Amino acid sequence: MSVNSGGANFSRRDFLERLHAVGGTALLMAGMSALGFGIEAQAATPPDLSGGNGKKVVVLGTGMAGLASAYELSNAGYDVTVLEARDRVGGRSYTARRGTVLTELGGERQVSDLDEGYYFNPGPWRIPYFHHAYLHYARKFKVPVELFNNDNDHSYIDFEKGSGPLGGRPVRKAEIAADTRGYAAEMLAKQVRQGALDAQFQPGDKELFLDYLRSEGYLTADDFRYIGTEGRGPAVYPGAGLEAGKPSTPYALSDILHSQTWRVLKSVSDLDMQRTMFQPTGGMDQLPAGFVRNLKPTIRLQHVVEKIAQSPDKIDVSYVDASGQRGTVSADYCVCTIPLSVLRNIDLQVSPTFKEAIGGVSYALVGKIGLQMKTRFWEENHQIYGGHVYVDDPMIGTISLPSTGWLGEKGVILGYYPHGSAAARVSAMSLAERKAFAVAAGQKIFPEYAANTESAFSIAWHRVPFNMGGWAEWSEEGRAKYYPTLLEPDGRLYLAGEHLSYLTGWQEGALESAWQQIAKLHKRAVAA
Amino acid sequence: MKLAHSIAMTALLGALSLAGSALAAPTGAVLFAQNCSACHQAAGQGVPGAYPALAGNTFVRGDPKTVASVVLHGRGGMPSFSDDLSNADIAAVLTYVRSSWGNHASAVDPAVVAAARGHSGGAHSGSSVLPGH
């Protein structure tokens, strides 16, 4: 059976082989899923690197890409040296706990005073179901994951730019969703029943389409009216004895439209923003810790790369360590996972084309703040269990409620998540000002917010040494002009990281890029 | 540096508290503290190897339209400010930068920013629902 009925000689197998050649195992698996082979995520595996022959590889950086490269290459018999600039592993896969220290460039020294047992993920925080490589390692290293609630109908929308009675105040998302979609279904049903759309239907379609509209919008059975529905939240909840509950009244359509709150509604979530996602139990640093538990080579912490030089038969990486001692590691190959925003300031012996390509990408400005709350008032008083509060102030971005520690004593809220120029403005504030800014925004949603706020931990990734940005942001021009150059080695230097994927800003991009690059390196090493 | 920063922030907070008043047009210095100082630092000195210094920077003192274009559209690690700042705001902040910390370049006219923008746009902000990752 052929995939493309027009191409008789192009079999499903040919297609899969080509997919594998282009995108490695992960793309192969995605292709097999798409073709109905029923291959599940657990089948996605790292490349086969058998026969490594003890060649020397130096891996730079211990984020996801560096750890995966070091782990796979050393298991395959390569002699691997790992250099890490910081005094910790994980890169952006990072968790702030009590005592975590962070000093941004040009910023104050910040020491986290979160309570013992509480944490905040300042970087990545949620994992989509199709991130096979991440889930592969979580499974392999027995890092437990839990569900991350990425959308909650019982949470609030507060759109300050909206007008009318529903603008500028917290409204439950379920009310907006039920009413907007109910009215839309009602209006469409009316048109269909009047015959306005008869030309659109095949025989038998019309009745089925009306059934769909009745179901979609909770319309009345006989005359297709929207009069509200239980799921938007009743006026009085049903209870014991004589309490049967009391239905609520829908908002006026015009009020909803002018409030702008309908902007949060979509037929389905984006591919990488499913309503339920995963998070590693206990913090994002748990997967890096899993790698370290299982890694053969020792990681040399606080080794800052100053120079990468190449000769026909080796590559030399010069570093300075925490005590100021300089040294050089010579190897057959180098896998460099240093972000391009940092790499462009390092002395590199590469071709002018390669050097230019490294400078051909922008890095995202992005900020986050964690706020430790002394009670879980959003659960106790508002019955909101995880998910996000939807706001329209770009300097706040989103306020998110923790998907862990349910019904417990305290919790850490994500107080803001701005991007771009909004993140630049937030990051210009002192630590105390950032906290005050975030608390003032949350207070508009929850009257308990300010009184419950204890400690804060904030980050502006564009000011973090050794990161200099949240993630790579390729323009269309950059993808065409520079990106392909960086996918190929320059001499003995291979780059890997989220920046060399179409999953930029995701740990999965880093892992799949590492798999792709070490497969290339291995192919060359066994041929040499 | 610390002192300069806190002075800038005092000015910033003052401007924020006046934000409701139609009379309060933010000055170039306030706009700089709000939008630029996180990276380029309070006295425009930058951070070596990370963010370029604006003090003594020949590019910044050069053709106003080219400089305005970078503020509007971003470059490298610098974001686009086209949706956040009006032509008048960008003209004010560039005039401030071009005449501070030893820089002595001409003031920037909002019309030049408008020309760099391609159309005479004012500041507006779209609602961003859950951006990011």
Side-chain angles (χ1 to χ4, degrees), chain A residues 125-126 345 362 365 417 419 421 425 427 433 462-463 468 471 504 506, chain B residues 5 9 33-35 38 49-51 76-77 81 84 127 130 132-133:
Chain A
W125 55 324
R126 48 188 162 178
N345 293 314
S362 298
L365 283 80
Y417 185 16
H419 296 72
S421 52
R425 286 198 296 280
S427 66
E433 287 158 355
H462 45 289
R463 292 176 21 124
M468 305 291 296
W471 55 81
T504 49
W506 291 99
Chain B
H5 181 69
M9 285 313 305
Q34 278 180 321
N35 293 283
Y51 318 110
F81 286 92
D84 307 282
S127 63
L130 280 190
H133 291 81

PDB file of all heavy atoms in Angstrom, chain A residues 125-126 345 362 365 417 419 421 425 427 433 462-463 468 471 504 506, chain B residues 5 9 33-35 38 49-51 76-77 81 84 127 130 132-133:
ATOM      1  N   TRP A 125       8.595  24.490  32.795  1.00  0.00           N
ATOM      2  CA  TRP A 125       7.706  24.088  33.903  1.00  0.00           C
ATOM      3  C   TRP A 125       6.652  23.100  33.474  1.00  0.00           C
ATOM      4  O   TRP A 125       5.922  22.587  34.310  1.00  0.00           O
ATOM      5  CB  TRP A 125       7.076  25.321  34.555  1.00  0.00           C
ATOM      6  CG  TRP A 125       6.335  26.258  33.625  1.00  0.00           C
ATOM      7  CD1 TRP A 125       6.665  26.580  32.345  1.00  0.00           C
ATOM      8  CD2 TRP A 125       5.151  27.002  33.908  1.00  0.00           C
ATOM      9  NE1 TRP A 125       5.765  27.480  31.821  1.00  0.00           N
ATOM     10  CE2 TRP A 125       4.819  27.766  32.757  1.00  0.00           C
ATOM     11  CE3 TRP A 125       4.330  27.114  35.037  1.00  0.00           C
ATOM     12  CZ2 TRP A 125       3.707  28.612  32.700  1.00  0.00           C
ATOM     13  CZ3 TRP A 125       3.226  27.968  34.972  1.00  0.00           C
ATOM     14  CH2 TRP A 125       2.932  28.706  33.822  1.00  0.00           C
ATOM     15  N   ARG A 126       6.479  22.838  32.142  1.00  0.00           N
ATOM     16  CA  ARG A 126       5.400  21.932  31.736  1.00  0.00           C
ATOM     17  C   ARG A 126       5.831  21.146  30.500  1.00  0.00           C
ATOM     18  O   ARG A 126       6.545  21.669  29.647  1.00  0.00           O
ATOM     19  CB  ARG A 126       4.105  22.700  31.482  1.00  0.00           C
ATOM     20  CG  ARG A 126       4.311  23.923  30.617  1.00  0.00           C
ATOM     21  CD  ARG A 126       3.080  24.811  30.504  1.00  0.00           C
ATOM     22  NE  ARG A 126       3.465  26.135  30.039  1.00  0.00           N
ATOM     23  CZ  ARG A 126       2.624  27.131  29.795  1.00  0.00           C
ATOM     24  NH1 ARG A 126       1.335  26.973  29.978  1.00  0.00           N
ATOM     25  NH2 ARG A 126       3.062  28.303  29.374  1.00  0.00           N
ATOM     26  N   ASN A 345      30.110  35.465  22.081  1.00  0.00           N
ATOM     27  CA  ASN A 345      31.127  36.266  22.764  1.00  0.00           C
ATOM     28  C   ASN A 345      32.347  35.454  23.170  1.00  0.00           C
ATOM     29  O   ASN A 345      33.199  35.930  23.913  1.00  0.00           O
ATOM     30  CB  ASN A 345      30.513  36.954  23.988  1.00  0.00           C
ATOM     31  CG  ASN A 345      29.490  37.999  23.594  1.00  0.00           C
ATOM     32  OD1 ASN A 345      29.732  38.809  22.707  1.00  0.00           O
ATOM     33  ND2 ASN A 345      28.321  37.970  24.228  1.00  0.00           N
ATOM     34  N   SER A 362      18.085  35.833  17.348  1.00  0.00           N
ATOM     35  CA  SER A 362      17.743  36.629  18.529  1.00  0.00           C
ATOM     36  C   SER A 362      17.441  35.696  19.702  1.00  0.00           C
ATOM     37  O   SER A 362      17.079  34.543  19.493  1.00  0.00           O
ATOM     38  CB  SER A 362      16.485  37.461  18.274  1.00  0.00           C
ATOM     39  OG  SER A 362      16.706  38.347  17.231  1.00  0.00           O
ATOM     40  N   LEU A 365      13.605  37.709  25.459  1.00  0.00           N
ATOM     41  CA  LEU A 365      13.613  38.322  26.783  1.00  0.00           C
ATOM     42  C   LEU A 365      12.407  37.764  27.519  1.00  0.00           C
ATOM     43  O   LEU A 365      11.287  37.794  26.999  1.00  0.00           O
ATOM     44  CB  LEU A 365      13.474  39.840  26.695  1.00  0.00           C
ATOM     45  CG  LEU A 365      14.723  40.624  26.288  1.00  0.00           C
ATOM     46  CD1 LEU A 365      14.905  40.579  24.787  1.00  0.00           C
ATOM     47  CD2 LEU A 365      14.627  42.064  26.771  1.00  0.00           C
ATOM     48  N   TYR A 417       4.773  36.416  33.969  1.00  0.00           N
ATOM     49  CA  TYR A 417       5.520  35.717  32.922  1.00  0.00           C
ATOM     50  C   TYR A 417       5.488  36.582  31.660  1.00  0.00           C
ATOM     51  O   TYR A 417       4.828  36.247  30.687  1.00  0.00           O
ATOM     52  CB  TYR A 417       4.886  34.339  32.689  1.00  0.00           C
ATOM     53  CG  TYR A 417       5.597  33.410  31.721  1.00  0.00           C
ATOM     54  CD1 TYR A 417       6.906  33.638  31.320  1.00  0.00           C
ATOM     55  CD2 TYR A 417       4.952  32.294  31.210  1.00  0.00           C
ATOM     56  CE1 TYR A 417       7.545  32.768  30.447  1.00  0.00           C
ATOM     57  CE2 TYR A 417       5.582  31.414  30.333  1.00  0.00           C
ATOM     58  CZ  TYR A 417       6.874  31.667  29.949  1.00  0.00           C
ATOM     59  OH  TYR A 417       7.505  30.808  29.071  1.00  0.00           O
ATOM     60  N   HIS A 419       7.061  38.751  28.314  1.00  0.00           N
ATOM     61  CA  HIS A 419       7.982  38.482  27.213  1.00  0.00           C
ATOM     62  C   HIS A 419       8.369  39.782  26.521  1.00  0.00           C
ATOM     63  O   HIS A 419       7.658  40.778  26.607  1.00  0.00           O
ATOM     64  CB  HIS A 419       7.316  37.560  26.196  1.00  0.00           C
ATOM     65  CG  HIS A 419       7.000  36.208  26.745  1.00  0.00           C
ATOM     66  ND1 HIS A 419       5.988  36.001  27.650  1.00  0.00           N
ATOM     67  CD2 HIS A 419       7.580  35.005  26.546  1.00  0.00           C
ATOM     68  CE1 HIS A 419       5.968  34.725  27.985  1.00  0.00           C
ATOM     69  NE2 HIS A 419       6.915  34.097  27.324  1.00  0.00           N
ATOM     70  N   SER A 421       9.533  43.225  25.109  1.00  0.00           N
ATOM     71  CA  SER A 421       9.756  44.539  25.709  1.00  0.00           C
ATOM     72  C   SER A 421       9.099  44.647  27.088  1.00  0.00           C
ATOM     73  O   SER A 421       9.598  45.359  27.958  1.00  0.00           O
ATOM     74  CB  SER A 421       9.236  45.631  24.783  1.00  0.00           C
ATOM     75  OG  SER A 421       7.901  45.357  24.427  1.00  0.00           O
ATOM     76  N   ARG A 425      10.950  45.771  30.626  1.00  0.00           N
ATOM     77  CA  ARG A 425      10.493  46.769  31.604  1.00  0.00           C
ATOM     78  C   ARG A 425      10.427  46.184  33.015  1.00  0.00           C
ATOM     79  O   ARG A 425      10.853  46.820  33.973  1.00  0.00           O
ATOM     80  CB  ARG A 425       9.125  47.324  31.194  1.00  0.00           C
ATOM     81  CG  ARG A 425       9.207  48.275  30.017  1.00  0.00           C
ATOM     82  CD  ARG A 425       7.950  49.145  29.900  1.00  0.00           C
ATOM     83  NE  ARG A 425       6.768  48.357  29.613  1.00  0.00           N
ATOM     84  CZ  ARG A 425       6.446  47.910  28.404  1.00  0.00           C
ATOM     85  NH1 ARG A 425       7.221  48.163  27.376  1.00  0.00           N
ATOM     86  NH2 ARG A 425       5.363  47.205  28.220  1.00  0.00           N
ATOM     87  N   SER A 427      12.144  43.758  34.168  1.00  0.00           N
ATOM     88  CA  SER A 427      13.491  43.440  34.662  1.00  0.00           C
ATOM     89  C   SER A 427      14.282  44.681  35.035  1.00  0.00           C
ATOM     90  O   SER A 427      15.330  44.576  35.670  1.00  0.00           O
ATOM     91  CB  SER A 427      14.257  42.614  33.627  1.00  0.00           C
ATOM     92  OG  SER A 427      14.505  43.359  32.452  1.00  0.00           O
ATOM     93  N   GLU A 433      10.898  45.898  43.982  1.00  0.00           N
ATOM     94  CA  GLU A 433       9.885  46.497  43.106  1.00  0.00           C
ATOM     95  C   GLU A 433       9.173  45.447  42.255  1.00  0.00           C
ATOM     96  O   GLU A 433       7.971  45.530  42.016  1.00  0.00           O
ATOM     97  CB  GLU A 433      10.540  47.547  42.198  1.00  0.00           C
ATOM     98  CG  GLU A 433      10.923  48.818  42.939  1.00  0.00           C
ATOM     99  CD  GLU A 433      12.015  49.616  42.232  1.00  0.00           C
ATOM    100  OE1 GLU A 433      12.547  49.151  41.205  1.00  0.00           O
ATOM    101  OE2 GLU A 433      12.340  50.701  42.741  1.00  0.00           O
ATOM    102  N   HIS A 462      17.177  37.148  30.261  1.00  0.00           N
ATOM    103  CA  HIS A 462      18.097  37.900  29.411  1.00  0.00           C
ATOM    104  C   HIS A 462      19.212  38.541  30.216  1.00  0.00           C
ATOM    105  O   HIS A 462      20.145  39.094  29.647  1.00  0.00           O
ATOM    106  CB  HIS A 462      17.327  38.956  28.606  1.00  0.00           C
ATOM    107  CG  HIS A 462      16.335  39.727  29.419  1.00  0.00           C
ATOM    108  ND1 HIS A 462      15.171  39.172  29.888  1.00  0.00           N
ATOM    109  CD2 HIS A 462      16.340  41.006  29.872  1.00  0.00           C
ATOM    110  CE1 HIS A 462      14.501  40.087  30.585  1.00  0.00           C
ATOM    111  NE2 HIS A 462      15.192  41.192  30.599  1.00  0.00           N
ATOM    112  N   ARG A 463      19.118  38.491  31.547  1.00  0.00           N
ATOM    113  CA  ARG A 463      20.172  39.042  32.405  1.00  0.00           C
ATOM    114  C   ARG A 463      20.905  37.957  33.175  1.00  0.00           C
ATOM    115  O   ARG A 463      21.690  38.260  34.086  1.00  0.00           O
ATOM    116  CB  ARG A 463      19.568  40.056  33.388  1.00  0.00           C
ATOM    117  CG  ARG A 463      19.065  41.293  32.669  1.00  0.00           C
ATOM    118  CD  ARG A 463      18.363  42.328  33.540  1.00  0.00           C
ATOM    119  NE  ARG A 463      18.605  42.327  34.954  1.00  0.00           N
ATOM    120  CZ  ARG A 463      19.046  43.389  35.651  1.00  0.00           C
ATOM    121  NH1 ARG A 463      19.312  44.530  35.023  1.00  0.00           N
ATOM    122  NH2 ARG A 463      19.181  43.323  36.943  1.00  0.00           N
ATOM    123  N   MET A 468      21.798  34.503  28.924  1.00  0.00           N
ATOM    124  CA  MET A 468      21.614  35.685  28.080  1.00  0.00           C
ATOM    125  C   MET A 468      20.386  35.571  27.174  1.00  0.00           C
ATOM    126  O   MET A 468      20.427  35.890  25.990  1.00  0.00           O
ATOM    127  CB  MET A 468      22.858  35.920  27.208  1.00  0.00           C
ATOM    128  CG  MET A 468      24.145  36.037  27.992  1.00  0.00           C
ATOM    129  SD  MET A 468      24.177  37.538  28.961  1.00  0.00           S
ATOM    130  CE  MET A 468      24.143  38.745  27.655  1.00  0.00           C
ATOM    131  N   TRP A 471      15.298  31.770  25.223  1.00  0.00           N
ATOM    132  CA  TRP A 471      15.451  30.753  24.182  1.00  0.00           C
ATOM    133  C   TRP A 471      15.705  31.445  22.863  1.00  0.00           C
ATOM    134  O   TRP A 471      15.509  32.651  22.734  1.00  0.00           O
ATOM    135  CB  TRP A 471      14.213  29.861  24.108  1.00  0.00           C
ATOM    136  CG  TRP A 471      12.921  30.602  23.922  1.00  0.00           C
ATOM    137  CD1 TRP A 471      12.415  31.095  22.746  1.00  0.00           C
ATOM    138  CD2 TRP A 471      11.977  30.958  24.949  1.00  0.00           C
ATOM    139  NE1 TRP A 471      11.221  31.731  22.991  1.00  0.00           N
ATOM    140  CE2 TRP A 471      10.920  31.656  24.323  1.00  0.00           C
ATOM    141  CE3 TRP A 471      11.919  30.734  26.334  1.00  0.00           C
ATOM    142  CZ2 TRP A 471       9.830  32.145  25.035  1.00  0.00           C
ATOM    143  CZ3 TRP A 471      10.822  31.235  27.040  1.00  0.00           C
ATOM    144  CH2 TRP A 471       9.801  31.917  26.392  1.00  0.00           C
ATOM    145  N   THR A 504      12.097  25.324  19.702  1.00  0.00           N
ATOM    146  CA  THR A 504      12.900  26.258  20.489  1.00  0.00           C
ATOM    147  C   THR A 504      12.189  26.591  21.798  1.00  0.00           C
ATOM    148  O   THR A 504      10.974  26.750  21.834  1.00  0.00           O
ATOM    149  CB  THR A 504      13.195  27.552  19.717  1.00  0.00           C
ATOM    150  OG1 THR A 504      11.974  28.032  19.169  1.00  0.00           O
ATOM    151  CG2 THR A 504      14.183  27.322  18.596  1.00  0.00           C
ATOM    152  N   TRP A 506      11.954  24.667  24.299  1.00  0.00           N
ATOM    153  CA  TRP A 506      11.484  23.466  24.978  1.00  0.00           C
ATOM    154  C   TRP A 506      12.678  22.546  25.248  1.00  0.00           C
ATOM    155  O   TRP A 506      13.573  22.412  24.418  1.00  0.00           O
ATOM    156  CB  TRP A 506      10.469  22.715  24.104  1.00  0.00           C
ATOM    157  CG  TRP A 506       9.165  23.430  23.925  1.00  0.00           C
ATOM    158  CD1 TRP A 506       8.796  24.181  22.853  1.00  0.00           C
ATOM    159  CD2 TRP A 506       8.045  23.447  24.833  1.00  0.00           C
ATOM    160  NE1 TRP A 506       7.520  24.667  23.042  1.00  0.00           N
ATOM    161  CE2 TRP A 506       7.041  24.233  24.242  1.00  0.00           C
ATOM    162  CE3 TRP A 506       7.815  22.865  26.090  1.00  0.00           C
ATOM    163  CZ2 TRP A 506       5.801  24.460  24.856  1.00  0.00           C
ATOM    164  CZ3 TRP A 506       6.587  23.097  26.698  1.00  0.00           C
ATOM    165  CH2 TRP A 506       5.599  23.885  26.090  1.00  0.00           C
TER     166      TRP A 506
ATOM    167  N   HIS B   5      20.819  54.114  39.759  1.00  0.00           N
ATOM    168  CA  HIS B   5      19.694  53.214  39.529  1.00  0.00           C
ATOM    169  C   HIS B   5      18.506  53.618  40.395  1.00  0.00           C
ATOM    170  O   HIS B   5      17.390  53.730  39.927  1.00  0.00           O
ATOM    171  CB  HIS B   5      20.126  51.783  39.848  1.00  0.00           C
ATOM    172  CG  HIS B   5      19.048  50.771  39.627  1.00  0.00           C
ATOM    173  ND1 HIS B   5      18.602  50.454  38.375  1.00  0.00           N
ATOM    174  CD2 HIS B   5      18.319  50.035  40.501  1.00  0.00           C
ATOM    175  CE1 HIS B   5      17.639  49.555  38.479  1.00  0.00           C
ATOM    176  NE2 HIS B   5      17.452  49.275  39.748  1.00  0.00           N
ATOM    177  N   MET B   9      14.832  54.857  39.346  1.00  0.00           N
ATOM    178  CA  MET B   9      13.619  54.152  39.743  1.00  0.00           C
ATOM    179  C   MET B   9      12.653  55.082  40.458  1.00  0.00           C
ATOM    180  O   MET B   9      11.445  54.948  40.311  1.00  0.00           O
ATOM    181  CB  MET B   9      13.953  52.950  40.636  1.00  0.00           C
ATOM    182  CG  MET B   9      14.526  51.762  39.897  1.00  0.00           C
ATOM    183  SD  MET B   9      13.638  51.279  38.397  1.00  0.00           S
ATOM    184  CE  MET B   9      11.979  51.043  39.036  1.00  0.00           C
ATOM    185  N   ALA B  33      14.831  54.612  31.840  1.00  0.00           N
ATOM    186  CA  ALA B  33      14.891  53.796  33.062  1.00  0.00           C
ATOM    187  C   ALA B  33      13.922  52.621  32.971  1.00  0.00           C
ATOM    188  O   ALA B  33      14.252  51.500  33.362  1.00  0.00           O
ATOM    189  CB  ALA B  33      14.567  54.659  34.282  1.00  0.00           C
ATOM    190  N   GLN B  34      12.743  52.863  32.417  1.00  0.00           N
ATOM    191  CA  GLN B  34      11.718  51.819  32.325  1.00  0.00           C
ATOM    192  C   GLN B  34      12.066  50.733  31.318  1.00  0.00           C
ATOM    193  O   GLN B  34      11.899  49.557  31.582  1.00  0.00           O
ATOM    194  CB  GLN B  34      10.395  52.428  31.842  1.00  0.00           C
ATOM    195  CG  GLN B  34       9.570  53.094  32.900  1.00  0.00           C
ATOM    196  CD  GLN B  34       8.283  53.650  32.305  1.00  0.00           C
ATOM    197  OE1 GLN B  34       8.273  54.180  31.202  1.00  0.00           O
ATOM    198  NE2 GLN B  34       7.211  53.496  33.036  1.00  0.00           N
ATOM    199  N   ASN B  35      12.489  51.146  30.142  1.00  0.00           N
ATOM    200  CA  ASN B  35      12.537  50.219  29.008  1.00  0.00           C
ATOM    201  C   ASN B  35      13.928  49.706  28.666  1.00  0.00           C
ATOM    202  O   ASN B  35      14.048  48.660  28.043  1.00  0.00           O
ATOM    203  CB  ASN B  35      11.954  50.894  27.761  1.00  0.00           C
ATOM    204  CG  ASN B  35      10.472  51.164  27.916  1.00  0.00           C
ATOM    205  OD1 ASN B  35       9.664  50.262  27.793  1.00  0.00           O
ATOM    206  ND2 ASN B  35      10.123  52.413  28.226  1.00  0.00           N
ATOM    207  N   ALA B  38      17.468  47.889  32.122  1.00  0.00           N
ATOM    208  CA  ALA B  38      17.700  46.521  32.607  1.00  0.00           C
ATOM    209  C   ALA B  38      18.932  45.927  31.944  1.00  0.00           C
ATOM    210  O   ALA B  38      19.678  45.185  32.579  1.00  0.00           O
ATOM    211  CB  ALA B  38      16.483  45.639  32.331  1.00  0.00           C
ATOM    212  N   GLY B  49      30.735  42.384  27.103  1.00  0.00           N
ATOM    213  CA  GLY B  49      30.547  41.008  26.656  1.00  0.00           C
ATOM    214  C   GLY B  49      29.093  40.573  26.651  1.00  0.00           C
ATOM    215  O   GLY B  49      28.781  39.454  26.265  1.00  0.00           O
ATOM    216  N   ALA B  50      28.181  41.452  27.129  1.00  0.00           N
ATOM    217  CA  ALA B  50      26.775  41.062  27.192  1.00  0.00           C
ATOM    218  C   ALA B  50      25.878  42.088  26.495  1.00  0.00           C
ATOM    219  O   ALA B  50      25.227  41.769  25.504  1.00  0.00           O
ATOM    220  CB  ALA B  50      26.351  40.884  28.644  1.00  0.00           C
ATOM    221  N   TYR B  51      25.864  43.304  27.025  1.00  0.00           N
ATOM    222  CA  TYR B  51      25.003  44.340  26.443  1.00  0.00           C
ATOM    223  C   TYR B  51      25.851  45.543  26.062  1.00  0.00           C
ATOM    224  O   TYR B  51      26.623  46.034  26.881  1.00  0.00           O
ATOM    225  CB  TYR B  51      23.945  44.800  27.457  1.00  0.00           C
ATOM    226  CG  TYR B  51      23.324  43.691  28.248  1.00  0.00           C
ATOM    227  CD1 TYR B  51      23.604  43.559  29.602  1.00  0.00           C
ATOM    228  CD2 TYR B  51      22.483  42.764  27.640  1.00  0.00           C
ATOM    229  CE1 TYR B  51      23.047  42.536  30.343  1.00  0.00           C
ATOM    230  CE2 TYR B  51      21.926  41.738  28.371  1.00  0.00           C
ATOM    231  CZ  TYR B  51      22.212  41.626  29.726  1.00  0.00           C
ATOM    232  OH  TYR B  51      21.667  40.614  30.452  1.00  0.00           O
ATOM    233  N   GLY B  76      19.295  41.221  17.536  1.00  0.00           N
ATOM    234  CA  GLY B  76      20.024  40.339  18.459  1.00  0.00           C
ATOM    235  C   GLY B  76      19.185  40.034  19.676  1.00  0.00           C
ATOM    236  O   GLY B  76      18.072  39.551  19.561  1.00  0.00           O
ATOM    237  N   GLY B  77      19.692  40.382  20.837  1.00  0.00           N
ATOM    238  CA  GLY B  77      18.955  40.125  22.066  1.00  0.00           C
ATOM    239  C   GLY B  77      17.992  41.241  22.438  1.00  0.00           C
ATOM    240  O   GLY B  77      17.335  41.191  23.472  1.00  0.00           O
ATOM    241  N   PHE B  81      10.214  47.377  20.221  1.00  0.00           N
ATOM    242  CA  PHE B  81       9.383  48.251  21.054  1.00  0.00           C
ATOM    243  C   PHE B  81       8.270  48.906  20.251  1.00  0.00           C
ATOM    244  O   PHE B  81       7.626  49.840  20.717  1.00  0.00           O
ATOM    245  CB  PHE B  81      10.252  49.322  21.729  1.00  0.00           C
ATOM    246  CG  PHE B  81      11.095  48.788  22.852  1.00  0.00           C
ATOM    247  CD1 PHE B  81      12.384  48.337  22.620  1.00  0.00           C
ATOM    248  CD2 PHE B  81      10.581  48.699  24.140  1.00  0.00           C
ATOM    249  CE1 PHE B  81      13.157  47.826  23.655  1.00  0.00           C
ATOM    250  CE2 PHE B  81      11.350  48.193  25.183  1.00  0.00           C
ATOM    251  CZ  PHE B  81      12.646  47.755  24.936  1.00  0.00           C
ATOM    252  N   ASP B  84       4.905  49.048  21.928  1.00  0.00           N
ATOM    253  CA  ASP B  84       4.856  49.557  23.304  1.00  0.00           C
ATOM    254  C   ASP B  84       5.063  51.056  23.403  1.00  0.00           C
ATOM    255  O   ASP B  84       4.565  51.693  24.315  1.00  0.00           O
ATOM    256  CB  ASP B  84       5.942  48.879  24.143  1.00  0.00           C
ATOM    257  CG  ASP B  84       5.850  47.389  24.051  1.00  0.00           C
ATOM    258  OD1 ASP B  84       4.985  46.819  24.713  1.00  0.00           O
ATOM    259  OD2 ASP B  84       6.627  46.800  23.277  1.00  0.00           O
ATOM    260  N   SER B 127      -3.728  42.081  23.393  1.00  0.00           N
ATOM    261  CA  SER B 127      -3.805  41.250  24.582  1.00  0.00           C
ATOM    262  C   SER B 127      -3.116  39.932  24.278  1.00  0.00           C
ATOM    263  O   SER B 127      -3.395  39.282  23.288  1.00  0.00           O
ATOM    264  CB  SER B 127      -5.256  41.004  24.968  1.00  0.00           C
ATOM    265  OG  SER B 127      -5.916  40.300  23.959  1.00  0.00           O
ATOM    266  N   LEU B 130      -1.502  33.918  27.458  1.00  0.00           N
ATOM    267  CA  LEU B 130      -0.582  32.808  27.641  1.00  0.00           C
ATOM    268  C   LEU B 130       0.460  32.667  26.545  1.00  0.00           C
ATOM    269  O   LEU B 130       0.457  31.694  25.803  1.00  0.00           O
ATOM    270  CB  LEU B 130      -1.362  31.497  27.734  1.00  0.00           C
ATOM    271  CG  LEU B 130      -1.983  31.209  29.081  1.00  0.00           C
ATOM    272  CD1 LEU B 130      -2.494  29.789  29.107  1.00  0.00           C
ATOM    273  CD2 LEU B 130      -0.970  31.389  30.193  1.00  0.00           C
ATOM    274  N   GLY B 132       4.438  32.184  25.284  1.00  0.00           N
ATOM    275  CA  GLY B 132       5.570  31.459  25.854  1.00  0.00           C
ATOM    276  C   GLY B 132       5.419  29.961  25.855  1.00  0.00           C
ATOM    277  O   GLY B 132       4.715  29.407  25.030  1.00  0.00           O
ATOM    278  N   HIS B 133       6.089  29.312  26.779  1.00  0.00           N
ATOM    279  CA  HIS B 133       6.290  27.873  26.718  1.00  0.00           C
ATOM    280  C   HIS B 133       5.772  27.186  27.959  1.00  0.00           C
ATOM    281  O   HIS B 133       5.745  27.755  29.005  1.00  0.00           O
ATOM    282  CB  HIS B 133       7.772  27.564  26.540  1.00  0.00           C
ATOM    283  CG  HIS B 133       8.260  27.985  25.185  1.00  0.00           C
ATOM    284  ND1 HIS B 133       8.596  29.279  24.927  1.00  0.00           N
ATOM    285  CD2 HIS B 133       8.408  27.306  24.041  1.00  0.00           C
ATOM    286  CE1 HIS B 133       8.958  29.356  23.650  1.00  0.00           C
ATOM    287  NE2 HIS B 133       8.857  28.188  23.093  1.00  0.00           N
TER     288      HIS B 133
END
